[in-house]
Amino acid sequence: MNIFIGSKEECDLKGAQEIVNQIKNKPNTVLGLATGSTPIDMYGNLIKKYKAGEVSFAKVKTFNLDEYLGISRDHPCSYYNFMQENLFKHIDIPQDSVHLPNGEAADPEEECKNYEKLIEGSGGIDLQVLGIGHNGHIGFNEPGTPFGSVTQVVDLTESTINANSRFFDSPDQVPRQALSMGIKTIMQARRILLFAYGADKAEIIKEALKGPVTPEVPASVLQLHPDVSVFLDHEAASRL
Ligand code: F6R
């Protein structure tokens, strides 16, 4: 595991450069992407690099980690909408190359199986971007999720609902379930970039990177992956 510690700006730039290098080496890269506040400025750097002619996403495919269950793609808080606003609509990626689980699927279990098959059929994820929840979740894999889990319907914990309520008008409006890649799905990515910023992530970063590997801290599984790069600002790294 490589751990880079710098300013948030340095992390956002270095992370974006890693992704650009990956796409230059393999133009038809399959990217795994995350939502949340953490990757927004890193995605902003990808947009700048695209506009500067440094990279094209024309052959790239993307698979997002997760989507809320029961809200439409057009809902302002859907992860589909988040990705359009923060990345996809600003770059040259074809719309049919971007994938998120369908939060409105008539049969969510079937949707999860199909999503997993679609990832496999694309040759697997070359590079997965991750953030981390305060309870150690990656994707929406909350503490206790088995390491062998694949894409599935998950119940969100109260802490995740409260954390995500900042994007909604009130906590009541946050969906209680989501479709999320599983821990095994994430671990099958060939490379993983994990980003964490701010003092409020310091404790969980210490537990995830230096503590025991346990389903109680889902991100601790990353200690078992052969190619993980972690990007931390000084505050998030302050307990290491
Ligand atoms: C997002 C996701 C989540 C977030 C995590 C951190 O697609 O799967 O695991 O990465 O909740 O969120 P932020 O970045 O908002 O602190």
Side-chain angles (χ1 to χ4, degrees), residues 71-90:
I71 61 175
S72 75
R73 269 161 66 135
D74 310 323
H75 189 288
C77 296
S78 76
Y79 283 176
Y80 176 86
N81 187 56
F82 175 100
M83 290 308 302
Q84 292 296 335
E85 292 301 319
N86 288 293
L87 183 62
F88 298 151
K89 80 175 189 192
H90 307 284

Side-chain angles (χ1 to χ4, degrees), residues 34-39 65-66 79 131-133 137-140 166 201:
T35 60
S37 27
T38 305
L65 284 166
D66 39 21
Y79 283 176
I132 181 171
H137 73 216
I138 46 176
F140 271 132
R166 67 191 192 277
K201 295 281 172 79

Side-chain angles (χ1 to χ4, degrees), residues 5-224:
I5 301 171
S7 67
K8 178 178 183 300
E9 291 70 26
E10 286 168 334
C11 293
D12 288 332
L13 260 180
K14 219 172 148 56
Q17 193 58 49
E18 292 278 340
I19 295 176
V20 167
N21 293 346
Q22 164 71 37
I23 296 171
K24 281 187 179 160
N25 285 336
K26 187 182 177 208
N28 62 346
T29 285
V30 179
L31 286 180
L33 298 176
T35 60
S37 27
T38 305
I40 292 179
D41 294 335
M42 192 276 284
Y43 292 156
N45 288 331
L46 288 180
I47 296 167
K48 282 190 202 139
K49 286 173 183 292
Y50 161 68
K51 290 193 170 155
E54 288 177 44
V55 63
S56 166
F57 296 82
K59 294 186 179 152
V60 169
K61 279 191 187 159
T62 67
F63 287 90
N64 262 80
L65 284 166
D66 39 21
E67 178 59 283
Y68 290 117
L69 183 59
I71 61 175
S72 75
R73 269 161 66 135
D74 310 323
H75 189 288
C77 296
S78 76
Y79 283 176
Y80 176 86
N81 187 56
F82 175 100
M83 290 308 302
Q84 292 296 335
E85 292 301 319
N86 288 293
L87 183 62
F88 298 151
K89 80 175 189 192
H90 307 284
I91 59 175
D92 63 341
I93 191 157
Q95 280 303 310
D96 59 0
S97 298
V98 311
H99 305 90
L100 287 92
N102 175 6
E104 287 193 300
D107 184 341
E109 312 287 343
E110 196 57 29
E111 170 66 13
C112 290
K113 281 189 199 142
N114 289 339
Y115 198 68
E116 195 73 27
K117 276 192 208 141
L118 211 55
I119 294 173
E120 273 172 39
S122 303
I125 292 171
D126 292 302
L127 185 155
Q128 174 70 54
V129 173
L130 291 180
I132 181 171
H134 294 108
N135 60 8
H137 73 216
I138 46 176
F140 271 132
N141 296 292
E142 303 283 18
T145 306
F147 285 167
S149 56
V150 294
T151 304
Q152 60 180 340
V153 178
V154 294
D155 296 327
L156 307 191
T157 61
E158 275 311 304
S159 78
T160 298
I161 291 166
N162 288 333
N164 290 8
S165 64
R166 67 191 192 277
F167 300 112
F168 291 79
D169 291 336
S170 76
D172 299 350
Q173 293 181 5
V174 184
R176 267 39 192 172
Q177 287 187 305
L179 311 176
S180 176
M181 283 187 198
I183 303 270
K184 184 173 165 198
T185 324
I186 293 170
M187 287 293 281
Q188 281 170 340
R190 288 183 266 281
R191 288 178 71 194
I192 295 179
L193 309 187
L194 170 71
F195 297 83
Y197 302 134
D200 57 320
K201 295 281 172 79
E203 181 57 34
I204 196 63
I205 279 294
K206 184 182 85 177
E207 283 182 46
L209 305 189
K210 303 290 180 197
V213 175
T214 163
E216 291 315 312
V217 181
S220 66
V221 75
L222 300 174
Q223 295 179 36
L224 306 178

